[in-house]
Amino acid sequence: MSSTLGTNYKISIFGESHGTAIGAVIDAPPPGLEIDMEQVLVQMARRAPDGKDGSTKRVEADTPHIQSGVLDRDGKCIATGAPLCVLIQNTNTRSSDYQNISHIARPAHADYTGYIHYHGYNDIRGGGHFSGRLTAPLVFAGAVARQALAKMGIRVCAHIASIGDVCDTPLDPCAIPAEISERLSQSGFPVLDEVQEKLMKNEIERARMDADSVGGIIECAVTGIPAGIGAPIFDALECKIAHAVLGVPAVKGIEFGAGFAITRMRGSAANDPMRMQGDQVVTTSNNNGGILGGITNGMPVIFRAAVKPTASIGLPQQSIDYVDKQEADLIIKGRHDACIVPRAVPVIEAAAAVAILDEIMAEGKYE
Amino acid sequence: MSSTLGTNYKISIFGESHGTAIGAVIDAPPPGLEIDMEQVLVQMARRAPDGKDGSTKRVEADTPHIQSGVLDRDGKCIATGAPLCVLIQNTNTRSSDYQNISHIARPAHADYTGYIHYHGYNDIRGGGHFSGRLTAPLVFAGAVARQALAKMGIRVCAHIASIGDVCDTPLDPCAIPAEISERLSQSGFPVLDEVQEKLMKNEIERARMDADSVGGIIECAVTGIPAGIGAPIFDALECKIAHAVLGVPAVKGIEFGAGFAITRMRGSAANDPMRMQGDQVVTTSNNNGGILGGITNGMPVIFRAAVKPTASIGLPQQSIDYVDKQEADLIIKGRHDACIVPRAVPVIEAAAAVAILDEIMAEGKYE
Amino acid sequence: MSSTLGTNYKISIFGESHGTAIGAVIDAPPPGLEIDMEQVLVQMARRAPDGKDGSTKRVEADTPHIQSGVLDRDGKCIATGAPLCVLIQNTNTRSSDYQNISHIARPAHADYTGYIHYHGYNDIRGGGHFSGRLTAPLVFAGAVARQALAKMGIRVCAHIASIGDVCDTPLDPCAIPAEISERLSQSGFPVLDEVQEKLMKNEIERARMDADSVGGIIECAVTGIPAGIGAPIFDALECKIAHAVLGVPAVKGIEFGAGFAITRMRGSAANDPMRMQGDQVVTTSNNNGGILGGITNGMPVIFRAAVKPTASIGLPQQSIDYVDKQEADLIIKGRHDACIVPRAVPVIEAAAAVAILDEIMAEGKYE
Amino acid sequence: MSSTLGTNYKISIFGESHGTAIGAVIDAPPPGLEIDMEQVLVQMARRAPDGKDGSTKRVEADTPHIQSGVLDRDGKCIATGAPLCVLIQNTNTRSSDYQNISHIARPAHADYTGYIHYHGYNDIRGGGHFSGRLTAPLVFAGAVARQALAKMGIRVCAHIASIGDVCDTPLDPCAIPAEISERLSQSGFPVLDEVQEKLMKNEIERARMDADSVGGIIECAVTGIPAGIGAPIFDALECKIAHAVLGVPAVKGIEFGAGFAITRMRGSAANDPMRMQGDQVVTTSNNNGGILGGITNGMPVIFRAAVKPTASIGLPQQSIDYVDKQEADLIIKGRHDACIVPRAVPVIEAAAAVAILDEIMAEGKYE
């Protein structure tokens, strides 16, 4: 019944697309953490729609207003360690766009399931609490988390591994240089291969021209994470990351390391050989994505998330009226993204950062 | 730090491969649930090694002994609603087999990560708390859970979708007849296509002959689940199922509905059209795996789990001694499965059953 | 590390006395619950200082602004079932009043312990996150909870059982008429005996004249609660109520039924005799406070909370400077309540209402 | 629905008085903790009935059998850090003693409330899961916890503050010498004043002769606990201790520091003056019981728990048959304690030790 995640860096997300405000309570950031608000805004901007590359043309200010949990010390924003509440006003809510939807469910959206779950009381304007807009406070929480992680030398970055059938070069799972991690985690359309970037943008534009949409895969890497983080069975780090990442709307799958491809390898190829690099234990491949027995081995944590094509498309669709219980055709008017994958990248990074910081704090290993 | 899962049907798993006993506390089954112990033993037997199809030749009795939480009423085993503790003795623990392993980490195993996490105090005999044997109490908990679900008309079944490159026919995600669900959920090697079954067994046998191992994919379906189960964002049913399933050792990925393949579809193909079937809302495809916005829509819940090839292989491997911090070659002697996928099927089903029953009970919808 | 309570009616409280705003996220009220905002404001007003009866002379507007989780339907405020965030602005924050406190700890306050816990980063203005002002969002959450409970016929009321040595008539633990419950739960100074009320007010006034403070006991009753709510051992309803009530600042003890006095009874007197009243099981005394084995028996749930005298007093006190680590005398200037007991009554009621609604929802018994 | 407590030192208690076994899973003790089993047995023996001082004449072996989570290293029992399951067999279960109880509820017992809560499926033999016998695994968990705490210099002790009206000398809340703490925490009838001990035993004997029972108060002190442990509002250390202590059957109240008596003090007397003792902050009184704002201040944590008279008495009582829904007289035959207070002392200590260790581990402060 809850939009809460974590135990020590616990986030509680609230809001509806067309309500007064959305936001989150973080209970609580590490006391004394200096929050670089400019870097937070960089992350927020990556997620916000800008009308380019198939995103909607709405201008959402998405300015986070911190209500509690911080102090101004010499012009710096310092977390006190008490719960931090952030608020993002809903300023641009043209609800008329959604008025023709009424009770005809948008296929692949939560209109019908939300109606059933909330006994008809859910706010359906703009998707209500199910709106992708709710990822904005998650990105805020992730932006703070990644600053805390950075103090320990842990970096989180991701790139667009694919849009439809167009694939980027994969990350080297054994070695992600800091400058690449840095560049990707600041980019609005993070890819490694510029040629593929152009092809991806073409793919999105073609979908947009067809009033259709397209999905993709996001590959995320966490570098600098020490060995020993996680736990066996249900507190495996994979469980915690997957729990957070699958909470992001439109994500339909997650795989670690070689993931589904590992099922087609033999053990002799899949098992990552172990070597010493100075006094550091390393593996010469990383098919296990840096996690063994639910616990990090010191290699980069690598995972991929599958993002489905935007459910809102301009083409006519077969649907039903869930109040009148009869079939109905649906044409969704108004604005929508032809592809949310680029905007989802900082959200996936945020989910990973939140899950990992929470685990590190819960193990008493935050420094 | 914990091997606990859930809130209302909460399971806490304990034990080591070579300790006195393994087991679980279930806190708590629905009061009055009649537990058919024969059916529980069928599920336990599916997971237990039998020396066939590439599984190890150990004979583990794996008999579950219930310590608490049940009453005998007219010869029937009835859950009281108080915590149910089940114990499985460790009878056949030839620890000499593992003695040559010492502190040379088995690649792709948790030897090194467990050593770091537990500061050198973990029991390394047979993998200790990381052993696949710990899935036995999970299968028990799942066997009880599926009996509770069955009372509501909910069935959980799975089949081996692939072994290496050999693929079974996929399940029809919109319609899984009760007889197929029934047959699969009782089978020791559940597949839909007998020809593929033979090819899969060949694949396993070839790996075994090579002293190597092979992985595969398990496809699981939950039928009869009503619409409205789950919640948005981090309490999405996908989050809960993924959390449970990724807790199963060797699972490296999970995808719902069309999963990673949905990223290569356009929205117009991915969006499941909605229709009325009598007064029932249905979809004519099921690319979303029965879950929208984290909540069931009344269609079968479909997911696939990627199981990596058994980490223990007979071939020599490059490794390190994690105490002496030096490189070392490793040959694992003793028994091991060439493929754990068939034995993992009831484990995946159990994880799904536990996660879903917990959610249904937490929503106050268990009847 | 957390200011969160509950599982199904989960509240997460945030804010500092002198920050931008305080508030709470409730995740989540029952979908469809009509929230009578006038009644909410009645409860908020009971807690807010009014300058009378020894409370401080600050005028805090304390107007709750709901940010999410509600819909306007025909002029009614309806909970959607998604997380409800409420915000209360901090408007009247004369921080100069507290400036002379600097790093000299106020005895019996959290100045020193907060400094240690938060490594010196806590906001000390006005008590920061430790401020009694943080009870305002709790009262809001309780006001909503008691409206949900009222739909099930459950009422929560409390009175001032004592101020210093002046005692009110105790409630009849077996029978609290609805009109008394109603009157108490709307009153700013709820007592049963008007003569004692006058004496209590005198007691408070005397303390105020002496620049001192005085404490008291609050007795709370929950009527109409059905038998069967709660669970054995650590999920006893006593555990849950105590957990919530001891979270209220200044509460130093809680007792159920006859409480500490039951220790001086013999079993023959303490055991509540059981009788039938129609088809209803009742007890003819209620020394167990309506809870046996952690579970309600259908009688009123009765408990008392001990509220210590206001820590802030005008008299000089011996203290220490916790930064300089040296002894120092302290005179607290500025406004403070001579007695917070009357204002604490709705807070205690709120804590009880929140704990009980959460338990009822977690057991799937909310209707 | 759950008998689980804590997050990092999480215990899950199971069993019924007349089932196969009772026990607990501890998930998980600190890796590497050496468990002194002799000291564990001392604590278990303090709780076990011995037929003296009014306790029942049953001989329960109460030998704890560890099933998992430990290793033998050089003859020492070392916690691995994986879940530790302990089992205590039920050997002496003369269920015939309880056969005449049938469905006539024992007043002040959980017979009726358990029947309602579990829809008639609870095991009523010997109180089932509600039996005081379930405190044995709690004492085990507490005995392990206090060994972990002792490594940090934290000691937990308690004494019988009163039996009926007979009171022991209270502990000095500012200074409890290690030798007193040591002596009390090993004693079967821990009191400070030998004269009062004799009077207490007389009081118990008189109750026994009258086929009646008597209650009492247990005062507990935690010394050596560093400042800074706990958190504001609902994660106050008082909340956590109270939650654990009120989970002990028969406890009806808890108070910290001066507790209910503080309500009759003025602030000027109640506020504990702060002084420096070397570089240590101390208070010259301890009316707040070592906790301010939910966080320890470095003084001893002091609390008192009210234990009601044993519900089972030999005198005839008015009751009801909860199946037939009619009034009935009841005479409880068989053995019962005239006073459980002495046996409850180690249980209260255990609950405190478990709650405090869990908090320290959750804050990452365990060393």
Side-chain angles (χ1 to χ4, degrees):
Chain A
M1 296 284 184
S2 155
S3 300
T4 304
L5 184 78
T7 58
N8 284 43
Y9 187 81
K10 184 189 296 190
I11 61 174
S12 180
I13 288 179
F14 58 85
E16 293 83 33
S17 175
H18 287 55
T20 305
I22 61 173
V25 177
I26 306 172
D27 186 356
L33 178 69
E34 181 186 334
I35 301 176
D36 179 338
M37 282 303 290
E38 254 179 76
Q39 268 305 307
V40 169
L41 293 175
V42 165
Q43 295 304 323
M44 303 287 289
R46 293 174 76 204
R47 192 214 68 87
D50 63 358
K52 285 191 296 186
D53 303 327
S55 82
T56 71
K57 295 215 176 82
R58 278 170 296 180
V59 178
E60 302 177 58
D62 273 8
T63 313
H65 297 282
I66 299 179
Q67 305 294 309
S68 66
V70 296
L71 270 180
D72 183 315
R73 287 205 179 174
D74 310 324
K76 288 173 181 168
C77 177
I78 308 288
T80 62
L84 187 162
C85 176
V86 64
L87 222 66
I88 303 165
Q89 299 298 326
N90 286 325
T91 47
N92 180 22
T93 55
R94 294 187 296 155
S95 49
S96 61
D97 282 3
Y98 294 91
Q99 287 199 338
N100 69 326
I101 296 178
S102 65
H103 297 118
I104 304 178
R106 292 170 300 165
H109 266 292
D111 297 342
Y112 169 62
T113 58
Y115 176 79
I116 299 294
H117 183 72
Y118 291 115
H119 310 301
Y121 292 104
N122 57 317
D123 184 350
I124 56 173
R125 297 170 301 160
H129 188 56
F130 295 91
S131 166
R133 182 159 166 68
L134 268 290
T135 56
L138 175 55
V139 168
F140 178 92
V144 174
R146 72 164 82 200
Q147 293 183 21
L149 292 172
K151 288 179 61 182
M152 293 179 66
I154 302 172
R155 291 165 181 276
V156 180
C157 72
H159 71 122
I160 304 171
S162 64
I163 296 287
D165 285 316
V166 186
C167 296
D168 192 20
T169 312
L171 288 162
D172 176 346
C174 290
I176 294 119
E179 57 271 20
I180 286 186
S181 175
E182 194 59 30
R183 176 171 70 77
L184 292 176
S185 64
Q186 306 277 320
S187 164
F189 200 101
V191 290
L192 296 169
D193 182 331
E194 287 178 28
V195 178
Q196 298 304 308
E197 180 180 342
K198 202 160 290 175
L199 295 174
M200 285 175 176
K201 287 180 175 173
N202 290 347
E203 188 78 6
I204 295 170
E205 182 59 15
R206 266 197 302 274
R208 197 184 64 75
M209 297 292 283
D210 295 346
D212 210 337
S213 66
V214 68
I217 297 172
I218 292 167
E219 184 175 55
C220 184
V222 185
T223 58
I225 191 164
I229 306 297
I233 315 188
F234 303 122
D235 278 332
L237 193 59
E238 287 118 324
C239 295
K240 302 216 162 162
I241 293 175
H243 196 129
V245 167
L246 283 162
V248 176
V251 174
K252 297 304 284 187
I254 188 167
E255 57 178 8
F256 292 84
F260 280 86
I262 208 172
T263 67
R264 295 188 299 275
M265 297 179 184
R266 283 206 163 178
S268 52
N271 291 356
D272 301 307
M274 304 177 80
R275 297 285 84 183
M276 295 303 301
Q277 199 167 77
D279 65 347
Q280 202 74 22
V281 174
V282 297
T283 60
T284 55
S285 59
N286 192 4
N287 296 314
N288 283 283
I291 304 176
L292 289 171
I295 298 170
T296 55
N297 65 357
M299 296 298 289
V301 169
I302 308 282
F303 69 88
R304 271 170 304 281
V307 179
K308 73 178 184 182
T310 321
S312 289
I313 57 175
L315 298 169
Q317 298 182 80
Q318 288 189 332
S319 186
I320 53 112
D321 183 308
Y322 50 82
V323 173
D324 296 345
K325 291 278 184 141
Q326 58 187 25
E327 304 191 339
D329 284 344
L330 174 74
I331 294 189
I332 302 176
K333 288 185 184 148
R335 57 217 178 179
H336 65 267
D337 289 359
C339 182
I340 56 161
V341 177
R343 293 176 57 198
V345 172
V347 183
I348 297 299
E349 290 172 359
V354 164
I356 287 169
L357 178 59
D358 184 56
E359 179 65 21
I360 287 174
M361 290 175 74
E363 293 186 29
K365 290 175 180 166
Y366 181 74
E367 294 148 11
Chain B
M1 295 287 183
S2 155
S3 300
T4 306
L5 184 77
T7 58
N8 284 43
Y9 187 81
K10 185 188 296 189
I11 61 174
S12 180
I13 289 179
F14 58 84
E16 293 82 34
S17 175
H18 287 55
T20 305
I22 61 173
V25 178
I26 306 173
D27 186 355
L33 178 70
E34 180 185 335
I35 301 176
D36 179 338
M37 282 303 290
E38 253 179 77
Q39 268 305 308
V40 169
L41 293 174
V42 166
Q43 295 305 323
M44 303 288 288
R46 293 174 76 204
R47 192 214 69 87
D50 63 357
K52 283 191 296 186
D53 303 326
S55 82
T56 71
K57 296 215 177 83
R58 278 169 296 180
V59 178
E60 301 177 60
D62 273 8
T63 312
H65 298 281
I66 298 180
Q67 304 295 309
S68 65
V70 295
L71 271 181
D72 183 315
R73 288 205 179 175
D74 310 325
K76 288 172 182 169
C77 178
I78 308 288
T80 62
L84 186 161
C85 176
V86 64
L87 222 65
I88 303 165
Q89 299 297 325
N90 286 325
T91 47
N92 180 22
T93 54
R94 293 187 296 155
S95 50
S96 61
D97 281 2
Y98 294 91
Q99 287 201 336
N100 69 327
I101 295 179
S102 65
H103 297 118
I104 305 177
R106 293 169 300 165
H109 266 293
D111 297 342
Y112 170 61
T113 59
Y115 175 78
I116 299 294
H117 184 72
Y118 291 115
H119 311 299
Y121 292 105
N122 57 316
D123 184 350
I124 57 173
R125 297 169 300 158
H129 187 55
F130 295 91
S131 167
R133 183 159 166 69
L134 269 288
T135 56
L138 175 54
V139 168
F140 178 93
V144 174
R146 71 164 83 200
Q147 293 183 21
L149 291 172
K151 288 179 61 182
M152 293 180 64
I154 303 173
R155 290 165 180 277
V156 180
C157 72
H159 71 123
I160 304 172
S162 65
I163 297 287
D165 286 315
V166 186
C167 296
D168 192 20
T169 312
L171 287 163
D172 176 346
C174 291
I176 295 118
E179 58 271 20
I180 286 187
S181 176
E182 194 60 28
R183 177 171 69 77
L184 292 176
S185 63
Q186 306 278 320
S187 164
F189 200 100
V191 290
L192 296 169
D193 182 331
E194 286 180 28
V195 178
Q196 299 305 308
E197 180 180 342
K198 202 160 292 176
L199 294 175
M200 286 176 176
K201 288 180 174 172
N202 290 347
E203 188 77 6
I204 295 169
E205 183 59 14
R206 266 197 302 273
R208 197 183 66 74
M209 298 292 283
D210 296 346
D212 211 337
S213 65
V214 68
I217 297 172
I218 292 167
E219 185 175 55
C220 184
V222 184
T223 57
I225 191 165
I229 306 298
I233 314 187
F234 303 122
D235 278 331
L237 193 59
E238 287 118 323
C239 295
K240 302 216 162 161
I241 293 174
H243 196 129
V245 167
L246 283 162
V248 177
V251 174
K252 298 304 282 186
I254 188 168
E255 56 178 8
F256 292 84
F260 280 87
I262 207 172
T263 68
R264 296 187 299 276
M265 296 178 184
R266 283 204 162 177
S268 52
N271 291 356
D272 300 307
M274 304 177 81
R275 298 283 82 184
M276 295 304 302
Q277 200 167 77
D279 64 348
Q280 202 73 23
V281 174
V282 297
T283 60
T284 55
S285 60
N286 192 5
N287 295 314
N288 283 283
I291 304 177
L292 289 172
I295 298 169
T296 55
N297 65 357
M299 296 297 290
V301 168
I302 308 283
F303 70 88
R304 269 171 304 281
V307 179
K308 72 178 185 182
T310 321
S312 289
I313 58 176
L315 298 169
Q317 299 182 80
Q318 289 188 333
S319 185
I320 53 112
D321 183 308
Y322 50 83
V323 173
D324 296 346
K325 292 278 186 142
Q326 58 188 25
E327 303 190 341
D329 284 344
L330 174 74
I331 294 187
I332 302 176
K333 290 189 181 141
R335 58 218 176 175
H336 66 268
D337 288 358
C339 182
I340 57 162
V341 177
R343 294 176 57 198
V345 172
V347 183
I348 298 297
E349 290 173 358
V354 164
I356 287 169
L357 178 60
D358 184 56
E359 179 65 21
I360 288 173
M361 289 176 74
E363 294 186 28
K365 291 175 179 166
Y366 181 74
E367 293 148 12
Chain C
M1 297 282 185
S2 158
S3 301
T4 305
L5 184 78
T7 59
N8 284 43
Y9 187 81
K10 185 188 297 189
I11 61 173
S12 180
I13 288 179
F14 58 84
E16 293 82 33
S17 175
H18 286 55
T20 304
I22 61 173
V25 177
I26 306 172
D27 187 355
L33 178 68
E34 181 186 335
I35 301 176
D36 179 339
M37 282 302 291
E38 255 178 75
Q39 268 305 308
V40 170
L41 293 175
V42 165
Q43 295 303 324
M44 303 287 290
R46 293 174 75 204
R47 192 213 69 88
D50 63 357
K52 284 190 295 185
D53 302 328
S55 81
T56 71
K57 296 218 176 78
R58 276 170 298 176
V59 178
E60 300 178 59
D62 273 9
T63 314
H65 297 283
I66 299 179
Q67 305 295 307
S68 66
V70 295
L71 271 181
D72 183 315
R73 288 203 179 174
D74 309 324
K76 289 173 181 169
C77 178
I78 308 289
T80 62
L84 187 161
C85 176
V86 65
L87 222 66
I88 302 166
Q89 299 298 325
N90 286 325
T91 48
N92 180 20
T93 54
R94 294 187 295 155
S95 48
S96 62
D97 280 2
Y98 295 90
Q99 285 198 341
N100 69 327
I101 295 178
S102 65
H103 298 116
I104 304 177
R106 292 170 300 165
H109 266 293
D111 297 343
Y112 169 62
T113 58
Y115 175 79
I116 299 294
H117 183 73
Y118 291 115
H119 310 300
Y121 292 104
N122 57 317
D123 185 349
I124 56 173
R125 297 170 301 159
H129 187 54
F130 295 91
S131 167
R133 184 160 165 67
L134 269 288
T135 55
L138 175 54
V139 168
F140 178 93
V144 174
R146 72 163 82 199
Q147 293 183 20
L149 292 172
K151 288 179 62 180
M152 293 179 66
I154 302 172
R155 291 166 181 274
V156 180
C157 71
H159 71 124
I160 304 171
S162 65
I163 297 286
D165 286 315
V166 186
C167 297
D168 192 20
T169 312
L171 288 162
D172 176 345
C174 290
I176 294 119
E179 58 272 19
I180 286 188
S181 175
E182 194 61 28
R183 177 171 70 76
L184 292 176
S185 64
Q186 305 278 319
S187 166
F189 200 101
V191 289
L192 296 169
D193 182 331
E194 286 178 29
V195 178
Q196 299 304 308
E197 179 180 343
K198 203 160 289 175
L199 294 174
M200 286 176 176
K201 288 179 175 172
N202 290 348
E203 187 78 6
I204 295 171
E205 184 57 16
R206 266 197 302 274
R208 199 184 64 74
M209 298 291 283
D210 296 346
D212 210 337
S213 66
V214 69
I217 297 173
I218 293 167
E219 184 176 54
C220 183
V222 184
T223 58
I225 192 165
I229 306 297
I233 314 188
F234 304 122
D235 278 330
L237 193 58
E238 287 118 323
C239 296
K240 301 216 163 163
I241 293 174
H243 196 129
V245 167
L246 283 162
V248 176
V251 173
K252 298 304 284 187
I254 188 168
E255 57 177 8
F256 292 84
F260 280 86
I262 207 172
T263 68
R264 295 187 299 275
M265 297 178 185
R266 284 210 162 173
S268 52
N271 292 356
D272 302 306
M274 304 177 80
R275 297 284 86 182
M276 296 303 303
Q277 200 168 77
D279 64 347
Q280 202 74 21
V281 174
V282 297
T283 60
T284 55
S285 60
N286 192 5
N287 296 313
N288 283 283
I291 304 176
L292 289 172
I295 298 170
T296 55
N297 66 356
M299 296 298 290
V301 169
I302 307 282
F303 70 88
R304 270 169 305 282
V307 179
K308 73 178 183 183
T310 321
S312 289
I313 57 175
L315 297 169
Q317 298 183 81
Q318 288 189 332
S319 185
I320 53 113
D321 183 309
Y322 50 82
V323 173
D324 295 346
K325 291 277 184 143
Q326 57 188 27
E327 303 190 340
D329 283 345
L330 174 73
I331 294 190
I332 301 176
K333 289 188 182 144
R335 56 214 178 179
H336 65 267
D337 289 358
C339 182
I340 56 162
V341 177
R343 293 177 57 197
V345 172
V347 183
I348 298 299
E349 290 173 358
V354 164
I356 287 169
L357 178 60
D358 184 55
E359 179 64 21
I360 287 174
M361 289 175 73
E363 293 187 29
K365 290 175 180 167
Y366 181 73
E367 293 148 13
Chain D
M1 295 285 185
S2 157
S3 300
T4 306
L5 184 77
T7 58
N8 284 43
Y9 187 81
K10 185 187 296 188
I11 61 173
S12 179
I13 288 179
F14 58 84
E16 293 82 33
S17 175
H18 286 55
T20 305
I22 61 172
V25 178
I26 306 173
D27 186 355
L33 178 70
E34 182 185 334
I35 301 175
D36 180 338
M37 282 304 290
E38 255 178 76
Q39 269 305 307
V40 169
L41 294 175
V42 166
Q43 295 304 324
M44 303 288 288
R46 294 174 75 204
R47 191 212 70 87
D50 63 358
K52 284 191 294 187
D53 303 327
S55 81
T56 71
K57 297 221 176 76
R58 277 170 296 178
V59 177
E60 301 177 60
D62 273 8
T63 313
H65 298 282
I66 298 179
Q67 303 295 308
S68 66
V70 296
L71 270 180
D72 182 316
R73 287 203 179 175
D74 309 324
K76 289 174 181 167
C77 177
I78 308 288
T80 63
L84 186 161
C85 176
V86 66
L87 222 65
I88 303 164
Q89 299 298 325
N90 285 325
T91 48
N92 181 20
T93 53
R94 295 188 293 155
S95 48
S96 62
D97 281 1
Y98 294 90
Q99 286 197 340
N100 68 329
I101 296 178
S102 65
H103 297 117
I104 303 177
R106 293 169 299 165
H109 266 292
D111 297 343
Y112 169 62
T113 58
Y115 176 78
I116 299 294
H117 183 72
Y118 291 115
H119 311 300
Y121 292 104
N122 57 316
D123 185 348
I124 56 172
R125 297 170 300 161
H129 187 55
F130 295 91
S131 166
R133 183 160 166 68
L134 269 288
T135 56
L138 175 55
V139 168
F140 177 92
V144 174
R146 73 164 82 199
Q147 293 184 21
L149 292 172
K151 288 179 61 180
M152 293 178 65
I154 302 172
R155 291 165 181 276
V156 180
C157 72
H159 71 123
I160 304 171
S162 65
I163 297 286
D165 285 316
V166 186
C167 296
D168 192 20
T169 311
L171 287 162
D172 176 346
C174 291
I176 295 119
E179 58 272 20
I180 286 188
S181 174
E182 194 61 27
R183 177 171 69 75
L184 292 176
S185 64
Q186 306 277 319
S187 164
F189 200 101
V191 290
L192 296 169
D193 182 332
E194 286 179 29
V195 178
Q196 299 303 309
E197 180 180 343
K198 203 161 290 176
L199 294 174
M200 287 175 175
K201 288 179 174 171
N202 290 348
E203 188 77 8
I204 295 169
E205 183 58 15
R206 266 197 302 274
R208 198 183 64 75
M209 299 292 283
D210 296 346
D212 210 338
S213 66
V214 69
I217 297 173
I218 292 167
E219 184 175 54
C220 184
V222 185
T223 58
I225 191 165
I229 306 297
I233 314 189
F234 303 121
D235 278 331
L237 193 58
E238 287 119 323
C239 296
K240 302 216 162 163
I241 293 174
H243 195 128
V245 167
L246 283 162
V248 176
V251 174
K252 297 304 283 187
I254 187 167
E255 56 177 8
F256 292 85
F260 280 87
I262 208 173
T263 68
R264 294 188 299 275
M265 295 178 186
R266 283 208 163 176
S268 53
N271 292 355
D272 302 308
M274 304 178 81
R275 298 283 85 181
M276 296 303 303
Q277 199 167 78
D279 63 347
Q280 203 74 20
V281 174
V282 296
T283 60
T284 55
S285 60
N286 192 5
N287 296 314
N288 282 282
I291 304 176
L292 289 172
I295 298 169
T296 54
N297 65 357
M299 296 297 290
V301 169
I302 308 282
F303 69 88
R304 269 169 305 281
V307 179
K308 72 177 184 183
T310 320
S312 289
I313 57 175
L315 297 169
Q317 300 182 80
Q318 289 188 332
S319 185
I320 53 112
D321 183 309
Y322 50 82
V323 173
D324 296 345
K325 291 276 184 145
Q326 57 188 25
E327 303 190 341
D329 284 345
L330 174 74
I331 293 189
I332 302 176
K333 289 189 182 144
R335 58 219 175 176
H336 65 267
D337 287 0
C339 182
I340 57 162
V341 177
R343 293 176 58 197
V345 172
V347 183
I348 297 298
E349 289 173 358
V354 164
I356 287 169
L357 178 60
D358 184 56
E359 178 65 20
I360 288 174
M361 289 176 74
E363 294 187 27
K365 290 174 180 167
Y366 181 74
E367 291 148 15

